[in-house]
C-alpha cells in the first residue's frame, strides 16, 4: 500500500518522451533533402578567389571542379522549354552536375537576385536576360573571359567582360493569319496606331528595352507620339514576349510586336501566325553573365562555355533562336531581308536607365 | 508510522531528467512558437509601413508612406475597386451557395445527396486553375461560351463576344463562383443545425412553402447568412488569382495585386507594400469583428442537443424539378465546364475552341512534356513536402493549444487562443510581405529556403487547425484524463495515451484539410519562393506567364485528379461533421 508509488519507476517513464521527439525531429530534418537549401554564406568565394589567383580552370579540370560542386543554377528570361533543352544537352555532355532553372522576366530576375544577395543568400550561378546594366551597377556580376568568347563577334560582348550575347532578339510585328490577311498586315510602326486595330493589338507589359532602343534609332519624340497612338487602340498588355505570340496564335489578339524566334517556333508547329518587318528593325541581345559569389562558380563557367560553344549555339539555332555565334543555323542575317534597315542595340548604353524607361512605358500604356 | 529512510540510490540520469518537466517545456515551447508565428511578422509589418528605406537598410521612422498613399488618387480607386469586387463576389457566392444549400438540405429535390458531393468539388480546384478555365470560357474573342453564342447569333468570330470576363462583373462572377462552394458548406451546416420546431409549427398552422421560407427560415437564418456573407467578403478582399490574371487586363487593380507589384518591381518598394498591407488588413479585421458578432448571434438559433431533431425536408411537389434544374446548371457551371475546358486545352499543341478538325490534333504530348520538366518535378516534390510537414506541425501545435485553452487555468489562455486565430485576419499576401520585412531585416537561416515557406504555411493554417482541435477537445470528457492521472500517469503520458488518441480523428481530418488547402496556396508563396522551393501553384502561374496554356492545363488536370483523391479520403475519414 505504501511503496507502490515509490518503487514504481515513474521517473523512467518521463524519458519516454525523448525518443518520439527525437524521431520526429529526425524525420522532419531528413525530409528536407528534396529542397537542399542554398548556403547561407558564400562558401564559394574562397574557391573563386583561389581560381583567380592560380589562373582560370579549363577543359577537363573545369569539369572536375564543376562535378565536385555538383549543381548549377541558372536564372533566365529565355523560355522554359528552350532553356530546359539546353540544360538537357549540357547534362548529357557533362553528367554528374544537377541543373536548376528559374525562368522569369528580366525585371524579376534582377529584383530576386538583388534581394537574395542583400539577405546574404547567394543562390544563383549564371544569369541570362536583358537587364545587364542594372545588375552590373548592383555589383551582382563577375567578369568571366570564357574561351568560347573568341568566336563571338566583338560587338556582341561586354567590353569589361561581364556578359556575352547568347542569341539575338529581333523585334518584328507578328499577326494572326486567320484574322489578318497578308495584304492587310501592318507595314510601319505608325500603322498599328490606325483605329482599325482598336482592341486587336497587344503590347508587352514592360517593353522598356525595345522602347529605349527605338528612342536611339528614331528619336524619342517621334516614338512617343507613335506609341501614344498605339495606346489609344487599347492594346492588351501581355507579360512576356513569348506570351504575346501565344496570344496571337490562339486568336486573343490579332497583331503586335514579338521576338522573331518565337514566331518561327510557332510557325514550325503550323500555328496560324506570320511576321513582317518594320523599319528600322530593332535587334537586342539575350545576354549571359556569371554571378559574383556564385555558389557553384566552376559549374557556372562550364555552363557558360557550353552555351557559347558551337554545340550549344547550334542547339539554340535548332530551337528557332538566332544564335550570336556566326555560322550557326537560323542566323539572323539569313532571315531578315538584305536591304532592311536594322538597328543593333546590343550593348547596355540605352539613353535612360531601366527604371526611367519602365516608368515612361507605364505612363503611356497604363493610364 | 515511523519514517523510513529512503534507500540510497546512485545518481542516475533518470533522476536528474525527472526534474525537467515535459509539460512545462512543451507548453512553453508551443506558446512561444505560436506567438512568434502570429505576432512577430505583424509587428514588422507595422514597423515596415512606418519605415523609411528598405528592409536591409531602414533609415528612420516616418509617416510619409501613409501620406503618400493617402494623397495618391490611385489608392482611392484601388480601395473602391477592392471593395466593389469583394462585395460582388460575396453576393454571388452567397446567392448561389445559399440556393444550393437550401435545395440540398431542406427540399426533396431528387439526387440531392449527389449534389451535396458535387457542390463541394470546386473546393478542390485551385484558384488559379479555376481562373484560367474561366478565361478560356469567357474571353471575349476566343472564350468557348462566346464562340458558341457568336455562332448562334450568326456573328463573325473575330468580333468580341457579348460576355467578357475582363470586366468587373466578369471578375465578380469568377471569384463568386469559386467562393460559392465555401458559402454552400457553411450555410448547409447552419441549415442542418437549425431548430426545426418553428418551421414545423408554421407548417402545422397551414403556411405554404414560400410563406414558411420567408417568415421563418430566412429570419432564423439571417445571422448565419450575414456571417457567411462577411466571410466570403473577406475572401474577396484577399483574393489574388482573379485580380492578377483577369483584373490586370480590365484595368482593375486591387490591393493584393498592387502589393505584389510593389515587391516585384525594380526597385522594389517594400514600404509601400507594407502600407497597403496595413490598409487591407484594417478592412479584413473590421469585417471579421462583425463576422464574429454575427456568428455568436447565429448560434443562438442552433440546436443544442442532437440529430434526433433534424429538420424534415420540404415537399416541393412538381417544383422539385425546377430546383433540380437549378442544381444541374450549378453543376455544369461550377464543375463540368471548367474541368472540361482544361482537359480539352491540355490535349492540344495550342489552344483552339473545340471543333471537328481540332479533334484530329488531340494528343498526350503536353503531359509527357510536363512530366519531363525539371521545374515541375521539383514543384511536385516541394508541394508534397510542404503539405506533409506544415500539416503535421500545424496539427501538433494546435492540439496543444486546444488543450491549454480547454483544460488549464493558465492566465492568458484565451489570449493564446486569440493569437492562434489571428492569422485568419491577415490576407495571404500581407503575411508574405510582413515575413519579408522580418526575414530580410533580421539575420536568419530561413530566408530563400523551403523552411520560410513551412513557417508561412503553418502561420496561415494555424486558425484552421485550432478550429478543428478546439471543437473536438470540448467533446472529450475531462474524466478520462483525470482517471489516467489518478492511476499515476504523468502529464506527458496522459497527453500521449489518452488525449491524442481521442483527438486523433479530428487531428487527422484537420491534417488532411490543411494538406489539401496548402497545395492551392499561391498568394503567400509567390513572394517567398525561390527556384529550388517552387511549388505547384507557382509553377502553373509561371507557365501562364510563359504563355504555355496547353502545358499548364496538362499540369492542372493531373493536380485536380490528385486532389480529388485526397478529398475523397478526407470525406471518408472526416465526414460531413468535420466541416
Amino acid at each position: 500500500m505504501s511503496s507502490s508509488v515509490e518503487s514504481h519507476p515513474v521517473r523512467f517513464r518521463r524519458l519516454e518522451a525523448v525518443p518520439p521527439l527525437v524521431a520526429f525531429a529526425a524525420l522532419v530534418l531528413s525530409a528536407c533533402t528534396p529542397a537542399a537549401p542554398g548556403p547561407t554564406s558564400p562558401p564559394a568565394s574562397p574557391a573563386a578567389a583561389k581560381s583567380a589567383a592560380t589562373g582560370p580552370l579549363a577543359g577537363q579540370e573545369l569539369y572536375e571542379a564543376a562535378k565536385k560542386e555538383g549543381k548549377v543554377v541558372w536564372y533566365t528570361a529565355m523560355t522554359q522549354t528552350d532553356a530546359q533543352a539546353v540544360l538537357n544537352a549540357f547534362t548529357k555532355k557533362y553528367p554528374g552536375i544537377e541543373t536548376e532553372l528559374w525562368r522569369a522576366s528580366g525585371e524579376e530576375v534582377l529584383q530576386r537576385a538583388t534581394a537574395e544577395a542583400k539577405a546574404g543568400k547567394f543562390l544563383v550561378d549564371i544569369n541570362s536576360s536583358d537587364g545587364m546594366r542594372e545588375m552590373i551597377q548592383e555589383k551582382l556580376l563577375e567578369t568571366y573571359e570564357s574561351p568560347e568568347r573568341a568566336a563571338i563577334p566583338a560587338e556582341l560582348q561586354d567590353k569589361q567582360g561581364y556578359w556575352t550575347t547568347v542569341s539575338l532578339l529581333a523585334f518584328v510585328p507578328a499577326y494572326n493569319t486567320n484574322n489578318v490577311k497578308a495584304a492587310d498586315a501592318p507595314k510601319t510602326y505608325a500603322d498599328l496606331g490606325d483605329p482599325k486595330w482598336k482592341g486587336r493589338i497587344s503590347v508587352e507589359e514592360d517593353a522598356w528595352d525595345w522602347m529605349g532602343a527605338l528612342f536611339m534609332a528614331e528619336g524619342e519624340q517621334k516614338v512617343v507620339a507613335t506609341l501614344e497612338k498605339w495606346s489609344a487602340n487599347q492594346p492588351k498588355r501581355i507579360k512576356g514576349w513569348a506570351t504575346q505570340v501565344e496570344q496571337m496564335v490562339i486568336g486573343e489578339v490579332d497583331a503586335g510586336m514579338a521576338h522573331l524566334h518565337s514566331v518561327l517556333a510557332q510557325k514550325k508547329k503550323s500555328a496560324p501566325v506570320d511576321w513582317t518587318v518594320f523599319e528600322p528593325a530593332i535587334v537586342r541581345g539575350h545576354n549571359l553573365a556569371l554571378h559574383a559569389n556564385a555558389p557553384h562558380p566552376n559549374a557556372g563557367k562550364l555552363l557558360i562555355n557550353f552555351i557559347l560553344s558551337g554545340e550549344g549555339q547550334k542547339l539554340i539555332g535548332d530551337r528557332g533562336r538566332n544564335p550570336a555565334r556566326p555560322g550557326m543555323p537560323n542566323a539572323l542575317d539569313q532571315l531578315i531581308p538584305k536591304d532592311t534597315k536594322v538597328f543593333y542595340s546590343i550593348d547596355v548604353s540605352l539613353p535612360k536607365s531601366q527604371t526611367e524607361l519602365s516608368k515612361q512605358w507605364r505612363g503611356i500604356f497604363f493610364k | 508510522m515511523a519514517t523510513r529512510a529512503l534507500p540510497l540510490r546512485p545518481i542516475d540520469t533518470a533522476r536528474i531528467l525527472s526534474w525537467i518537466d515535459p509539460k512545462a517545456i512543451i507548453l512553453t515551447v508551443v506558446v512561444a512558437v505560436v506567438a512568434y508565428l502570429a505576432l512577430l511578422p505583424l509587428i514588422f509589418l507595422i514597423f515596415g509601413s512606418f519605415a523609411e528605406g528598405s528592409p536591409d537598410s531602414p533609415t528612420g521612422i516616418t509617416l510619409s508612406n501613409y501620406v503618400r498613399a493617402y494623397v495618391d488618387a490611385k489608392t482611392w480607386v484601388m480601395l473602391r475597386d477592392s471593395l466593389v469586387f469583394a462585395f460582388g463576389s460575396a453576393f454571388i457566392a452567397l446567392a448561389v451557395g445559399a440556393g444550393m444549400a437550401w435545395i440540398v438540405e431542406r427540399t426533396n429535390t431528387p439526387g440531392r445527396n449527389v449534389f451535396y458531393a458535387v457542390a463541394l468539388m470546386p473546393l478542390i480546384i485551385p484558384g488559379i486553375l479555376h481562373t484560367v478555365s474561366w478565361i478560356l470560357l469567357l474571353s471575349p474573342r476566343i472564350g468557348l461560351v462566346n464562340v458558341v453564342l457568336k455562332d448562334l447569333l450568326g456573328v463573325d468570330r473575330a468580333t468580341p463576344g457579348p460576355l467578357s470576363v475582363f470586366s468587373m462583373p466578369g471578375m465578380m462572377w469568377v471569384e463568386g463562383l469559386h467562393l460559392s462552394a465555401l458559402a454552400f458548406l457553411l450555410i448547409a451546416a447552419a441549415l442542418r443545425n437549425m431548430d426545426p420546431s418553428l418551421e414545423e409549427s408554421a407548417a402545422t398552422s397551414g403556411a405554404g412553402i414560400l410563406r414558411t421560407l420567408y417568415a421563418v427560415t430566412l429570419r432564423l437564418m439571417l445571422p448565419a447568412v450575414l456571417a457567411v456573407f462577411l466571410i466570403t467578403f473577406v475572401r474577396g478582399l484577399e483574393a489574388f488569382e482573379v485580380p492578377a490574371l483577369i483584373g490586370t487586363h480590365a484595368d482593375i487593380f486591387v490591393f493584393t495585386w498592387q502589393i505584389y507589384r510593389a515587391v516585384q518591381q525594380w526597385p522594389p518598394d517594400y514600404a509601400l507594400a507594407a502600407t497597403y498591407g496595413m490598409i487591407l488588413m484594417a478592412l479584413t479585421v473590421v469585417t471579421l469583428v462583425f463576422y464574429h458578432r454575427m456568428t455568436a448571434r447565429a448560434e443562438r438559433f442552433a440546436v443544442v442537443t442532437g440529430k434526433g431533431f433534424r429538420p424534415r425536408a420540404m415537399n416541393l411537389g412538381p417544383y422539385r424539378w425546377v430546383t433540380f434544374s437549378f442544381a444541374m446548371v450549378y453543376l455544369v457551371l461550377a464543375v463540368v465546364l471548367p474541368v472540361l475546358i482544361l482537359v480539352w486545352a491540355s490535349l492540344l499543341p495550342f489552344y483552339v475552341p473545340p471543333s471537328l478538325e481540332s479533334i484530329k490534333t488531340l494528343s498526350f504530348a503536353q503531359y509527357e512534356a510536363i512530366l519531363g520538366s525539371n521545374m515541375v518535378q521539383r514543384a511536385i516534390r516541394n508541394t508534397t513536402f510542404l503539405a506533409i510537414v506544415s500539416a503535421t506541425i500545424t496539427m501538433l501545435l494546435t492540439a496543444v493549444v486546444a488543450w491549454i485553452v480547454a483544460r488549464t487555468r493558465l492566465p492568458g489562455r484565451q489570449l493564446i487562443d486569440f493569437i492562434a486565430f489571428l492569422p485568419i485576419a491577415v490576407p495571404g499576401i500581407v503575411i508574405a510581405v510582413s515575413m519579408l520585412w522580418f526575414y530580410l531585416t533580421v539575420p536568419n537561416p530561413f530566408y530563400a529556403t523551403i523552411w520560410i515557406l513551412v513557417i508561412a504555411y503553418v502561420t496561415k493554417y494555424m486558425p484552421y487547425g485550432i478550429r478543428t482541435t478546439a471543437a473536438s477537445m470540448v467533446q472529450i470528457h475531462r474524466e478520462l484524463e483525470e482517471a489516467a492521472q489518478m492511476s499515476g500517469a504523468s502529464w506527458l503520458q496522459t497527453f500521449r495515451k489518452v488525449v491524442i488518441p481521442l483527438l486523433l480523428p479530428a487531428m487527422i481530418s484537420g491534417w488532411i484539410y490543411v494538406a489539401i488547402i496548402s497545395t492551392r496556396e499561391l498568394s503567400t508563396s509567390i513572394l517567398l519562393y525561390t527556384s529550388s522551393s517552387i511549388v505547384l501553384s507557382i509553377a502553373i502561374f509561371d507557365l501562364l506567364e510563359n504563355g504555355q496554356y496547353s502545358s499548364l492545363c496538362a499540369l492542372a488536370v493531373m493536380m485536380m485528379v490528385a486532389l480529388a483523391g485526397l478529398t475523397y479520403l478526407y470525406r471518408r475519414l472526416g465526414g460531413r461533421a468535420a466541416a
Side-chain angles (χ1 to χ4, degrees):
Chain A
M1 158 161 83
S2 54
S3 56
S4 60
V5 174
E6 194 182 271
S7 57
H8 213 50
V10 170
R11 287 177 212 133
F12 287 101
R13 290 203 181 163
R14 293 189 190 189
L15 283 175
E16 285 181 36
V18 177
L21 286 173
V22 169
F24 176 64
L27 183 71
V28 166
L29 286 170
S30 69
C32 91
T33 37
T40 55
S41 57
S45 322
K50 187 166 146 212
S51 81
T54 56
L57 294 174
Q60 192 58 26
E61 276 185 357
L62 184 62
Y63 177 34
E64 294 301 325
K67 242 203 316 198
K68 258 206 221 124
E69 288 168 354
K71 188 173 172 182
V72 66
V73 178
W74 181 16
Y75 286 5
T76 183
M78 196 187 273
T79 55
Q80 183 80 28
T81 39
D82 287 348
Q84 189 64 53
V86 170
L87 286 177
N88 291 345
F90 174 78
T91 308
K92 225 172 168 178
K93 181 159 185 181
Y94 298 108
I97 305 175
E98 190 194 323
T99 61
E100 192 174 293
L101 179 70
W102 186 53
R103 197 259 145 216
S105 73
E107 182 185 63
E108 281 167 347
V109 170
L110 174 63
Q111 186 270 335
R112 182 59 65 90
T114 317
E116 287 170 3
K118 285 197 174 152
K121 300 274 186 186
F122 299 98
L123 302 176
V124 55
D125 300 308
I126 74 172
N127 171 337
S128 71
S129 58
D130 194 9
M132 294 289 144
R133 172 152 98 173
E134 271 68 21
M135 289 201 227
I136 296 173
Q137 269 175 357
E138 293 290 324
K139 302 203 179 16
L140 292 174
L141 304 178
E142 190 176 290
T143 61
Y144 174 52
E145 195 57 53
S146 164
E148 301 292 341
R149 265 183 136 211
I152 309 273
E155 61 269 20
L156 300 180
Q157 300 180 29
D158 175 44
K159 306 288 174 294
Q160 294 174 288
Y162 282 110
W163 53 263
T164 315
T165 303
V166 168
S167 62
L168 294 169
L169 306 170
F171 293 86
V172 298
Y175 56 92
N176 178 302
T177 48
N178 288 337
N179 299 341
V180 180
K181 305 208 194 350
D184 299 330
K187 310 267 180 313
T188 66
Y189 287 111
D191 275 352
L192 285 179
D194 189 306
K196 78 171 185 195
W197 292 107
K198 188 158 187 163
R200 297 170 65 193
I201 62 171
S202 66
V203 292
E204 213 279 336
E205 193 196 47
D206 192 359
W208 62 273
D209 46 352
W210 173 72
M211 187 175 76
L214 206 50
F215 281 177
M216 288 171 72
E218 293 267 272
E220 182 172 337
Q221 258 191 335
K222 182 176 173 197
V223 172
V224 169
T226 311
L227 291 178
E228 290 284 359
K229 288 228 180 64
W230 287 21
S231 182
N233 276 339
Q234 289 167 357
K236 198 166 176 198
R237 297 164 310 235
I238 296 172
K239 189 164 178 202
W241 288 97
T243 322
Q244 292 228 73
V245 185
E246 286 268 353
Q247 296 274 294
M248 277 179 232
V249 163
I250 64 179
E252 184 67 48
V253 296
D254 285 339
M257 299 300 296
H259 285 157
L260 176 58
H261 63 80
S262 308
V263 183
L264 294 175
Q266 290 285 359
K267 279 187 77 157
K268 225 174 174 181
K269 284 195 286 183
S270 313
V273 69
D274 207 351
W275 62 281
T276 171
V277 174
F278 288 163
E279 287 185 302
I282 304 292
V283 175
R284 283 186 60 81
H286 182 85
N287 306 327
L288 180 62
L290 178 69
H291 265 254
N293 299 315
H296 322 95
N298 292 313
K301 289 176 185 169
L302 192 65
L303 184 52
I304 290 180
N305 293 349
F306 177 76
I307 294 175
L308 297 176
S309 71
E311 186 182 340
Q313 289 281 298
K314 179 170 181 299
L315 173 62
I316 286 173
D318 286 336
R319 302 251 357 146
R321 290 181 173 258
N322 313 116
R325 195 169 172 128
M328 291 294 141
N330 225 26
L332 191 61
D333 43 21
Q334 291 165 9
L335 292 164
I336 302 228
K338 282 287 177 291
D339 46 1
T340 314
K341 205 165 131 207
V342 178
F343 182 83
Y344 285 87
S345 162
I346 307 295
D347 62 27
V348 292
S349 52
L350 288 176
K352 301 181 186 180
S353 74
Q354 175 180 344
T355 317
E356 290 172 277
L357 288 169
S358 269
K359 200 158 168 216
Q360 195 171 5
W361 180 268
R362 287 187 164 266
I364 298 173
F365 288 104
F366 282 80
K367 297 245 196 314
Chain B
M1 200 156 38
T3 53
R4 198 157 47 127
L6 288 167
L8 279 171
R9 277 172 222 260
I11 295 180
D12 52 346
T13 42
R15 241 177 105 204
I16 297 178
L17 277 170
S18 73
W19 288 354
I20 303 170
D21 184 4
K23 174 179 176 183
I25 294 178
I26 290 180
L27 293 190
T28 319
V29 166
V30 166
V31 169
V33 168
V34 168
Y36 168 80
L37 288 177
L39 293 178
L40 219 41
L42 278 187
I43 293 172
F44 270 78
L45 179 75
I46 298 171
F47 165 71
S49 67
F50 287 110
E52 211 155 14
S54 60
D56 55 306
S57 52
T59 51
I61 301 291
T62 173
L63 274 178
S64 66
N65 298 320
Y66 284 101
V67 172
R68 190 172 29 139
Y70 179 75
V71 300
D72 188 356
K74 231 175 47 183
T75 312
W76 299 99
V77 173
M78 221 196 323
L79 185 64
R80 179 202 70 196
D81 285 344
S82 306
L83 289 172
V84 168
F85 170 63
F87 188 92
S89 314
F91 186 80
I92 292 179
L94 192 64
V96 173
M100 277 301 288
W102 181 73
I103 289 175
V104 166
E105 288 290 331
R106 305 304 293 279
T107 68
N108 64 340
T109 310
R112 60 184 183 281
N113 286 328
V114 175
F115 285 127
Y116 184 88
V118 159
L120 292 182
M121 278 190 206
L123 285 173
I124 66 165
I125 303 179
I128 190 165
L129 300 180
H130 188 256
T131 312
V132 169
S133 68
W134 277 100
I135 293 175
L136 292 174
L137 286 169
L138 279 186
S139 157
R141 299 192 91 211
I142 58 158
L144 184 60
V145 172
N146 283 311
V147 165
V148 166
L149 284 176
K150 280 187 270 192
D151 286 350
L152 283 177
L153 296 172
V155 170
D156 175 38
R157 278 200 181 184
T159 54
L163 302 170
S164 171
V165 72
F166 300 116
S167 61
M168 182 59 97
M171 285 171 69
M172 293 196 276
W173 166 253
V174 178
E175 185 69 29
L177 198 58
H178 196 235
L179 292 173
S180 65
L182 176 69
F184 167 81
L185 198 63
L186 297 173
I187 296 194
L191 278 174
R192 214 178 307 132
N193 292 333
M194 216 175 88
D195 183 347
S197 53
L198 290 166
E199 281 187 340
E200 283 167 10
S201 2
T204 38
S205 306
I209 300 166
L210 280 176
R211 188 86 200 275
T212 316
L213 193 63
Y214 172 70
V216 180
T217 320
L218 276 179
R219 294 270 171 83
L220 283 179
M221 286 296 292
L222 202 56
V225 164
L226 280 175
V228 171
F229 177 80
L230 289 171
I231 198 86
T232 46
F233 182 78
V234 167
R235 289 288 182 95
L237 283 175
E238 302 177 337
F240 180 73
E241 290 90 343
V242 170
L245 301 174
I246 297 179
T248 47
H249 294 295
D251 272 340
I252 295 169
F253 304 102
V254 303
F255 272 112
T256 50
W257 173 252
Q258 293 290 38
I259 291 172
Y260 171 73
R261 264 219 58 80
V263 173
Q264 294 292 80
Q265 70 189 12
W266 181 259
D269 196 343
Y270 291 104
L272 186 66
T275 314
Y276 283 158
M278 289 289 291
I279 299 175
L280 186 59
M281 208 171 75
L283 293 173
T284 52
V285 165
V286 164
T287 315
L288 283 170
V289 164
F290 282 115
Y291 167 73
H292 198 66
R293 290 215 194 141
M294 281 298 146
T295 323
R297 255 203 265 172
E299 277 161 12
R300 274 186 5 220
F301 297 110
V303 170
V304 173
T305 45
K307 296 180 183 170
F309 291 89
R310 188 182 175 132
R312 246 177 309 163
M314 260 188 228
N315 186 353
L316 295 176
Y319 293 106
R320 70 183 190 279
W321 295 107
V322 174
T323 51
F324 180 78
S325 333
F326 178 82
M328 285 300 284
V329 168
Y330 176 77
L331 166 64
V332 166
L333 287 177
V335 180
V336 174
L337 271 185
V339 170
L340 280 187
I341 196 88
L342 289 176
V343 169
W344 171 258
S346 71
L347 298 170
L348 297 169
F350 50 86
Y351 177 77
V352 287
S355 65
L356 287 171
E357 314 91 61
S358 44
I359 292 184
K360 294 193 207 119
T361 56
L362 294 179
S363 82
F364 282 102
Q366 301 297 339
Y367 288 87
E368 283 180 59
I370 214 70
L371 286 172
S373 155
N374 269 354
M375 174 187 83
V376 170
Q377 289 167 4
R378 228 181 309 136
I380 294 176
R381 278 202 305 270
N382 289 334
T383 304
T384 315
F385 173 77
L386 279 168
I388 295 175
V389 171
S390 34
T392 308
I393 297 179
T394 307
M395 294 322 291
L396 286 176
L397 278 179
T398 53
V400 176
V401 173
W403 187 86
I404 293 175
V405 174
R407 290 287 186 267
T408 67
R409 302 263 171 90
L410 287 174
R413 68 184 183 281
Q414 293 299 339
L415 186 63
I416 260 300
D417 188 36
F418 173 74
I419 289 176
F421 254 113
L422 208 50
I424 206 157
V426 189
I429 196 139
V430 179
I431 292 181
V433 171
S434 61
M435 286 181 70
L436 274 178
W437 264 101
F438 180 58
Y439 291 95
L440 281 177
T441 311
V442 173
N444 66 87
F446 302 121
Y447 178 73
T449 68
I450 199 161
W451 295 101
I452 201 173
L453 286 179
V454 173
I455 294 174
Y457 282 26
V458 173
T459 309
K460 203 174 172 185
Y461 297 128
M462 258 191 325
Y464 298 90
I466 195 125
R467 199 161 56 184
T468 327
T469 49
S472 191
M473 198 77 209
V474 163
Q475 292 170 357
I476 297 173
H477 266 288
R478 196 182 277 270
E479 296 161 355
L480 294 162
E481 292 171 61
E482 287 170 2
Q485 284 174 334
M486 294 274 279
S487 306
S490 69
W491 176 82
L492 196 61
Q493 279 176 313
T494 314
F495 200 79
R496 267 180 55 218
K497 300 204 170 172
V498 177
V499 177
I500 296 253
L502 287 173
L503 212 46
L504 208 55
M507 281 179 73
I508 289 181
S509 120
W511 191 98
I512 297 182
Y513 183 70
V514 171
I516 290 177
I517 58 178
S518 74
T519 60
R520 300 183 345 206
E521 214 296 308
L522 178 66
S523 56
T524 312
S525 319
I526 201 158
L527 291 180
L528 298 173
Y529 83 102
T530 62
S531 56
S532 40
S533 60
I534 194 169
V535 293
L536 273 176
S537 47
I538 296 184
I540 292 174
F541 195 74
D542 227 32
L543 287 168
L544 199 58
E545 292 199 331
N546 270 247
Q548 291 171 278
Y549 279 100
S550 303
S551 315
L552 175 171
C553 289
L555 186 56
V557 171
M558 293 193 292
M559 202 175 160
M560 288 194 298
V561 167
L563 285 176
L566 279 175
T567 312
Y568 177 70
L569 202 66
Y570 170 68
R571 297 253 301 137
R572 288 295 302 267
L573 289 173
R576 288 180 174 202

